[in-house]
Amino acid sequence: MLLKLIHVAQIVIAAYGAMQSQVAISKLLEYEDATKKLAKISSEAERQLHKTRTTQAAGAVTILVSFAISVLLVTRGASYGALVRYLSSPFMALAVLTARTYIQDFWTGKNGKVTANKVPLPKMGDYNEVLERTQKSVEVLGWLTISWIASSALVLIEGY
């Protein structure tokens, strides 16, 4: 029962994270044309564009996979083989932690906040919102990591 509650919490957290990622990616797409033009003349701008795309995609995909696995474990967890049931939580903990670290390495500064490395810019309110939403996505990935670690421990104690 407690294990199912953790998976339901993961579903809610991941749904919130998916909304944050969707808004961040939509706002970034508004700057895509200008960024592509700049990337043609600057290798650093090209590198930044590539890292922005890959980190946002990594966060979104990880959050969606976390959502899907949680839904499957809540609805049909007992019907899967023991190997799938027992390894899905530790695998997801590792995957979510890896994605979170990858995103943080690019987006955050020394104080751990997304906006520390990517300074909010005047007259670019939508880009500043991307920074806020990315920070929230990183926080969501942190909570998902904790929840997958908790479900990993609980599955060993309680089973499915």
Side-chain angles (χ1 to χ4, degrees), residues 24-25 33 42-43 57 59 63 84 104 107 119 123 134 160:
I25 291 169
D33 290 336
S42 167
S43 62
I63 288 169
V84 171
Q104 274 189 311
W107 286 92
V119 179
K123 298 182 183 177
T134 301
Y160 269 93

Side-chain angles (χ1 to χ4, degrees), residues 111-143:
N111 72 354
K113 295 288 184 191
V114 166
T115 55
N117 191 25
K118 309 293 180 211
V119 179
L121 303 169
K123 298 182 183 177
M124 292 190 68
D126 286 344
Y127 186 76
N128 295 335
E129 186 175 353
V130 168
L131 298 174
E132 293 171 20
R133 299 297 179 135
T134 301
Q135 176 65 38
K136 289 178 182 176
S137 293
V138 168
E139 291 168 4
V140 162
L141 289 168
W143 284 109

Side-chain angles (χ1 to χ4, degrees), residues 50-122:
H50 174 72
K51 288 293 276 186
T52 299
R53 287 175 176 163
T54 58
T55 55
Q56 290 292 336
V61 167
T62 303
I63 288 169
L64 291 174
V65 169
S66 186
F67 178 87
I69 298 292
S70 298
V71 168
L72 291 174
L73 289 172
V74 165
T75 58
R76 301 186 50 186
S79 67
Y80 294 113
L83 191 61
V84 171
R85 290 190 318 250
Y86 286 93
L87 292 181
S88 59
S89 289
F91 174 79
M92 285 307 300
L94 182 61
V96 173
L97 179 62
T98 301
R100 184 176 190 270
T101 302
Y102 178 65
I103 294 165
Q104 274 189 311
D105 285 349
F106 177 68
W107 286 92
T108 61
K110 291 180 176 139
N111 72 354
K113 295 288 184 191
V114 166
T115 55
N117 191 25
K118 309 293 180 211
V119 179
L121 303 169

